């Protein structure tokens, strides 16, 4: 698996990451052609080799020609959505902007759709974020690690006035991430950089076991008492025998609504719509609301880039007038779907692995039901027989 390590000894920003990706081998001309798919004409993009404290790096400049423009999340969603970029680039870019929107909304005490992005809504920030996503995609990087992040100290001038470093949105985005500050004045980690690194990284610590293939240095604009560079190391993860090693870590959003006045017959259709809309999981729990009214707590888990669609479905298909959104981290065992041949017919079985060994074997319900209806055998017998056959097959093949 191709992996990358971000060494954030001088913080991280969108332009520094873009410079590091180019310095590590991302074709700049190809990057320009990819970014042309955004249909943003009011900017110029160019690269420059610079020296920071004796170390050579690449600085990527985005010169905006549009003036001072504020955009909200819907504006940015439209720009990315109508582009001709690959779906995975669109989805990850929208996830990053959604992260920014959630952080800004919390800081300013408002709804995510009411947030007007200032610095991060400008063309240069859009190019930095989408360009970084393109870079990881073009270099084939599947997993990203990072060091603890140097955030700097002091104050920074922003659209809302002088803000403490790290800026409130940056610190909100870096919740749960190891950060530190040394004797360097200025903003080293920006909201854009924080949103990108937290969208890609689950592990923040020392160098992982990587067989180094290429190294890139992305330069910031300021000259500091330390090298103002972001170092990116790219290579193959060492000692990775298969996907069955370790737990997969991912991030998502949880949406919650309380409902006490909806026809229960509508829930079946609602669940179907939510899953069609991209929900990862949907469930309800009985709760007791004020004045002792019985109600249900409806919970939906969704990827970041599906937030808008899931929220639309909840408001259109339920009687709720409000919802809550929480970022979550998911720890998932790797699994495979195997096809098992039995005397009743074929059926799929989900097999989860822990430390390289099968730990959970679960026949797929719909296949068991189909075979039970076909043979007239009790469903529970079909289920158990498929499970036992699967265990035998796994022992033989593993």
């Amino acid at each position: 698996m191709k992996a990358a390590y971000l060494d954030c000894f001088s913080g991280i920003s969108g332009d520094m990451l873009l410079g590091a990706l180019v310095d590590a081998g991302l074709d700049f001309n190809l990057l320009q052609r990819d970014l042309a798919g955004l249909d943003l004409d009011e900017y110029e993009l160019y690269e420059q080799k610079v020296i920071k404290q004796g170390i050579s790096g690449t600085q990527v400049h985005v010169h905006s020609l549009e003036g001072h423009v504020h955009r909200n999340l819907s504006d940015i969603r439209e720009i990315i959505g109508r582009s001709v970029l690959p779906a995975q680039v669109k989805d990850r870019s929208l996830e990053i902007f959604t992260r920014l929107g959630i952080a800004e909304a919390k800081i300013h005490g408002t709804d995510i759709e009411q947030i007007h992005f200032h610095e991060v809504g400008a063309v240069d920030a859009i190019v930095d974020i989408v360009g970084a996503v393109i870079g990881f995609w073009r270099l084939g990087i599947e997993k990203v690690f990072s060091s603890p992040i140097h955030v700097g100290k002091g104050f920074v001038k922003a659209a809302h006035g002088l803000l403490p470093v790290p800026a409130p949105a940056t610190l909100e985005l870096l919740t749960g991430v190891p950060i530190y500050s040394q004797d360097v004045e200025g903003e080293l980690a920006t909201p854009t950089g924080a949103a990108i690194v937290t969208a890609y990284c689950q592990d923040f610590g020392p160098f992982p076991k990587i067989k180094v293939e290429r190294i890139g240095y992305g330069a910031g604009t300021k000259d500091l008492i330390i090298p103002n560079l972001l170092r990116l190391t790219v290579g193959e993860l060492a000692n990775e025998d298969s996907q069955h090693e370790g737990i997969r870590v991912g991030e998502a959003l949880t949406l919650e609504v309380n409902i006490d006045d909806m026809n229960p017959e509508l829930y079946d259709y609602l669940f179907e719509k939510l899953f069609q809309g991209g929900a990862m999981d949907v469930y309800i729990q009985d709760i007791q609301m004020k004045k002792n009214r019985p109600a249900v707590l409806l919970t939906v888990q969704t990827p970041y880039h599906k937030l808008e669609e899931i929220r639309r479905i909840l408001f259109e298909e339920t009687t709720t007038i409000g919802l809550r959104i929480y970022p979550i981290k998911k720890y998932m065992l790797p699994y495979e779907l195997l096809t098992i041949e039995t005397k009743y017919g074929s059926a799929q079985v989900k097999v989860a692995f822990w430390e390289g060994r099968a730990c959970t074997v679960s026949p797929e319900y719909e296949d068991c039901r189909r075979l039970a209806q076909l043979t007239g055998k009790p469903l529970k017998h079909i289920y158990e027989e498929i499970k036992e056959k699967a265990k035998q097959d796994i022992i033989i093949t593993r």
Side-chain angles (χ1 to χ4, degrees):
M1 177 187 290
K2 190 78 71 180
Y5 183 76
L6 295 169
D7 201 350
C8 305
F9 54 79
S10 195
I12 184 169
S13 63
D15 61 331
M16 290 173 74
L17 178 54
L18 199 52
L21 288 161
V22 171
D23 205 58
L26 173 63
D27 187 300
F28 186 73
N29 293 325
L30 186 56
L31 172 65
Q32 287 182 304
R33 290 200 295 271
D34 287 335
L35 286 169
L38 280 174
D39 195 25
L40 290 173
D41 298 326
E42 299 178 343
Y43 75 94
E44 296 173 351
L45 186 70
Y46 59 96
E47 62 173 324
Q48 178 185 10
K49 281 289 186 181
V50 297
I51 302 293
K52 297 289 184 180
Q53 300 282 27
I55 303 175
S56 173
T58 296
Q59 200 168 63
V60 173
H61 299 272
V62 184
H63 179 56
S64 175
L65 308 174
E66 70 173 2
H68 198 59
V69 175
H70 294 171
R71 294 183 172 91
N72 59 28
L73 188 59
S74 296
D75 297 326
I76 293 171
R77 190 181 293 118
E78 182 182 353
I79 291 171
I80 295 174
R82 71 170 181 249
S83 74
V84 295
L85 293 168
Q88 61 264 47
V89 173
K90 290 184 182 181
D91 290 348
R92 185 54 70 93
S93 299
L94 288 172
E95 175 190 343
I96 292 168
F97 275 107
T98 302
R99 285 174 177 272
L100 280 164
I102 291 172
E104 293 278 4
K106 182 175 180 180
I107 294 301
H108 299 298
T110 186
D111 181 77
I112 185 174
E113 290 298 337
Q114 303 304 315
I115 286 293
H116 286 271
F117 292 115
H118 298 282
E119 289 84 357
V120 296
V123 161
D124 53 348
I126 296 173
V127 170
D128 284 344
I129 289 174
V130 179
V133 176
I134 289 170
F136 283 124
W137 168 62
R138 282 293 185 188
L139 292 179
I141 295 170
E142 300 175 69
K143 190 170 180 63
V144 182
F145 303 86
S146 174
S147 70
I149 297 173
H150 191 179
V151 295
K153 67 177 185 176
F155 291 85
V156 61
K157 188 175 182 181
H160 296 285
L162 275 179
L163 299 176
V165 172
T170 301
L171 193 57
E172 181 66 29
L173 286 159
L174 294 176
T175 299
V177 173
I179 64 173
Y180 65 97
S181 178
Q182 292 181 334
D183 292 330
V184 180
E185 287 284 340
E187 182 185 36
L188 302 185
T190 66
T192 300
I196 297 172
V197 74
T198 53
Y200 275 97
C201 297
Q202 290 85 44
D203 298 302
F204 293 83
F207 253 105
K209 294 180 180 179
I210 289 181
K211 184 179 180 181
V212 178
E213 295 177 356
R214 55 182 74 178
I215 304 164
Y217 290 87
T221 55
K222 298 177 182 177
D223 290 319
L224 306 173
I225 61 174
I226 61 174
N228 190 13
L229 297 165
L230 172 67
R231 181 163 59 188
L232 173 70
T233 305
V234 181
E236 288 289 327
L237 272 181
N239 299 325
E240 185 177 56
D241 297 326
S242 73
Q243 66 172 338
H244 302 147
E245 282 191 346
I247 295 176
R248 294 182 296 117
V249 182
E251 296 191 348
L253 296 172
T254 290
L255 285 69
E256 291 182 349
V257 295
N258 295 353
I259 303 174
D260 64 354
D261 57 352
M262 191 168 108
N263 184 345
E265 293 179 325
L266 303 181
Y267 282 104
D268 179 58
Y269 180 75
L270 170 64
F271 276 40
E272 183 179 337
K273 289 280 288 186
L274 288 168
F275 282 120
Q276 288 175 351
M280 303 160 68
D281 199 4
V282 184
Y283 55 93
I284 57 176
Q285 298 168 278
D286 292 330
I287 58 174
Q288 201 80 9
M289 293 178 59
K290 60 185 178 181
K291 298 182 181 179
N292 292 321
R293 292 201 306 269
V296 298
L297 171 64
L298 171 65
T299 303
V300 184
Q301 290 182 5
T302 178
Y304 275 78
H305 66 275
K306 294 294 184 179
L307 171 62
E308 176 63 21
E309 176 65 10
I310 296 301
R311 185 169 56 177
R312 181 190 65 79
I313 293 171
L314 288 174
F315 281 135
E316 287 185 353
E317 299 291 347
T318 76
T319 56
T320 189
I321 60 173
L323 59 84
R324 302 175 293 277
I325 303 174
Y326 310 101
I328 60 171
K329 181 170 285 188
K330 293 168 64 71
Y331 293 86
M332 300 161 285
L333 291 176
Y335 68 87
E336 290 182 0
L337 276 176
L338 305 178
T339 299
I340 302 297
E341 296 295 335
T342 74
K343 62 183 178 182
Y344 303 119
S346 61
Q348 282 198 318
V349 176
K350 184 180 291 183
V351 183
F353 296 87
W354 171 249
E355 295 183 345
R357 298 187 301 274
C359 63
T360 302
V361 178
S362 302
E364 291 291 282
Y365 167 75
E366 291 297 337
D367 283 354
C368 294
R369 177 179 174 176
R370 172 179 54 81
L371 293 178
Q373 290 174 332
L374 184 66
T375 63
K377 299 289 185 180
L379 176 59
K380 63 180 181 179
H381 293 168
I382 295 286
Y383 184 93
E384 291 300 328
E385 187 153 341
I386 291 174
K387 186 174 181 178
E388 288 304 315
K389 181 66 164 57
K391 289 180 178 178
Q392 294 172 12
D393 287 359
I394 292 168
I395 292 172
I396 292 171
T397 57
R398 298 280 164 179

